[in-house]
Amino acid sequence: MARVVVLVLDVSQRPPQSHKLMNFLTSEQALADFAVLIKYIKQSIPGAQNSSVIAFGGSYGGMLAGWLRMKYPNVVIGALAASAPIWQFTGITPCENFNMVINKAFSQDIPECAENIRKSWQIIDTIAETVDGRQFISTTFQLCKPLSHSDVTDFKSWLTSAWTDLSMVNYPYPANFLEPLPAWPVKAVCSKLSLPLEGKQLIENLSEAVKVYFNYTGQAECLNISQQATSDLGDLGWDYQSCTEMVMPICSDGINDIFEPSPWNFTSYNETCYHTWKTVPRQDWISTQYWGKNLQTASNIIFSNGDLDPWMSGGVTQSPSQSIVPIIISQGAHHLDLRAANPLDPQSVIDARNSEKNIFKMWLGQVKNKS
Ligand SMILES: *[C@@H]1O[C@H](CO)[C@@H](O)[C@H](O)[C@H]1NC(C)=O
Ligand SMILES: *[C@@H]1O[C@H](CO)[C@@H](O)[C@H](O)[C@H]1NC(C)=O
Ligand SMILES: *[C@@H]1O[C@H](CO)[C@@H](O)[C@H](O)[C@H]1NC(C)=O
Ligand SMILES: *[C@@H]1O[C@H](CO)[C@@H](O)[C@H](O)[C@H]1NC(C)=O
Ligand SMILES: *[C@@H]1O[C@H](CO)[C@@H](O)[C@H](O)[C@H]1NC(C)=O
Ligand SMILES: *[C@@H]1O[C@H](CO)[C@@H](O)[C@H](O)[C@H]1NC(C)=O
């Protein structure tokens, strides 16, 4: 029997060292590279020539895995696209859906938790108006650098990114994907925001809550608001891609989500991209290149989604064709199914992995019967 070659697509891409090479950082190039690499591996490994290949990937890697099957069905017999938001694009998914999932993650156990975060923005603004208030915030949060009036917006974006990332990595056991975290970190955060809080008391508990994210190890000397929540993800490359092809509209209204109202504004997005990268993002390209919602003629792709993961908002959750299989993992965070098995795994992810294995076997059987 032919050997099965498993190819795991990386979740992130690092930008090339030279500016001149940035134009190779596209999803099309990545797919072509994988296709050529797979052909090469099959030719160069003795006995692998006739092996079937299934692509695996999570997050952006999941998008690539799904698209690899769509664009190169001659190279991979199928794909597992885990937490792959291939529909988080203009005109396909409403921009508010992403943050509504975060709201769900932060309100499901303790509704006051979401409520406290939702009202924190206004309280931060009010307290940060005075020198004393800013001093209070700096001391309470143990900020590396005292907060100045012009830092308040950055301070709020830093909190926003922490809450967002927490909901992505809300795993059922201690993990270290973006930061070292306890089991069910959103629950740990919400235990600090469990009753209605006001004013300085809210600020104090907010700081306890955010320290679950930034100081779970107890090693943080101070909190640095210029440090992105995901410092080692190689997301500079992603930032460039989001300013070329990967324009994913996300917005908030402050009512159905825990954030300040922030409409999607392509004009300003476009300006920021030009300012940062001298690129003009093509907001409609992905839905042209990768078929938008019209996946009827695609085949053999599993799209798995965690129902607590904000990226499920742009995921494929309903089957557009017989061999496109959506799986929804209840209480699942970002590509939980691709993580190693753990005794604390919920039954939902055990079931998802079993379904995935059975589907792979079916695809392999189909190939065998044909040859
Ligand atoms: C692959 O399949 C071809 C055609 O069936 C056959 O000639 C060749 O020997 C096979 N290679 C391997 C390594 O099994
Ligand atoms: C506020 O934080 C303190 C210290 O962590 C905690 O004991 C208290 O329960 C928190 N209050 C709420 C309402 O969660
Ligand atoms: C991090 O936690 C340790 C241990 O509890 C504490 O001593 C330190 O002050 C904390 N640092 C910050 C920035 O919260
Ligand atoms: C805060 O983070 C920024 C960006 O990574 C870095 O340049 C700066 O040195 C850090 N400040 C402290 C006090 O760690
Ligand atoms: C985007 O920015 C480019 C370059 O500054 C400009 O030419 C173009 O008109 C802008 N498009 C939109 C829709 O704002
Ligand atoms: C969108 O951003 C542009 C450029 O920053 C600004 O002029 C415009 O008022 C914004 N539109 C809305 C609806 O906020």
Side-chain angles (χ1 to χ4, degrees), residues 153-224:
T153 305
D154 287 346
F155 175 68
K156 289 191 290 183
S157 336
W158 171 78
L159 284 173
T160 299
S161 68
W163 307 139
T164 303
D165 290 347
L166 269 160
S167 103
M168 274 170 57
V169 298
N170 193 15
Y171 296 122
Y173 44 79
N176 184 4
F177 175 33
L178 301 177
E179 293 282 341
L181 289 172
W184 297 115
V186 170
K187 212 173 270 183
V189 161
C190 285
S191 73
K192 312 286 184 190
L193 300 167
S194 58
L195 293 169
L197 292 161
E198 297 295 339
K200 288 188 166 175
Q201 181 73 62
L202 176 55
I203 299 289
E204 279 172 1
N205 277 51
L206 210 54
S207 89
E208 295 280 326
V210 84
K211 284 171 188 174
V212 169
Y213 189 70
F214 288 111
N215 194 22
Y216 177 55
T217 58
Q219 303 289 304
E221 279 168 20
C222 58
L223 303 190
N224 185 347

Side-chain angles (χ1 to χ4, degrees), residues 266-268 270-271 274 279-281 283:
F266 183 70
T267 311
S268 75
N270 185 42
E271 281 169 6
Y274 196 77
T279 57
V280 177
Q283 59 175 336

Side-chain angles (χ1 to χ4, degrees), residues 96-119 121 160 163-168 170 186 190 250-260 307-311 313:
E96 58 269 21
N97 290 13
F98 181 88
N99 285 324
M100 283 164 66
V101 184
I102 300 180
N103 186 66
K104 184 182 154 198
F106 278 83
S107 54
Q108 66 167 6
D109 299 314
I110 306 174
E112 286 75 15
C113 180
E115 199 53 56
N116 280 323
I117 298 175
R118 187 165 22 250
K119 71 186 179 196
W121 314 108
T160 299
W163 307 139
T164 303
D165 290 347
L166 269 160
S167 103
M168 274 170 57
N170 193 15
V186 170
C190 285
I250 290 176
C251 62
S252 51
D253 63 10
I255 298 166
N256 298 301
D257 51 64
I258 60 176
F259 301 118
E260 287 188 286
D307 74 350
L308 294 181
D309 174 20
W311 292 110
S313 64

Side-chain angles (χ1 to χ4, degrees), residues 46-50:
Q49 192 188 343
N50 298 331

Side-chain angles (χ1 to χ4, degrees), residues 143-145 222-228 231:
L143 298 183
C144 298
K145 189 169 140 283
C222 58
L223 303 190
N224 185 347
I225 65 164
S226 346
Q227 202 121 57
Q228 276 307 304
S231 51

Side-chain angles (χ1 to χ4, degrees), residues 311-359:
W311 292 110
M312 178 166 138
S313 64
V316 176
T317 52
Q318 281 180 341
S319 179
S321 100
Q322 221 195 338
S323 64
I324 301 289
V325 186
I327 293 181
I328 303 206
I329 302 169
S330 163
Q331 300 298 298
H334 203 45
H335 49 53
L336 175 63
D337 49 336
L338 292 193
R339 298 181 61 86
N342 187 291
L344 294 174
D345 275 332
Q347 190 59 38
S348 60
V349 76
I350 296 169
D351 293 346
R353 291 193 188 114
N354 286 334
S355 308
E356 289 161 1
K357 272 185 275 184
N358 289 335
I359 293 167

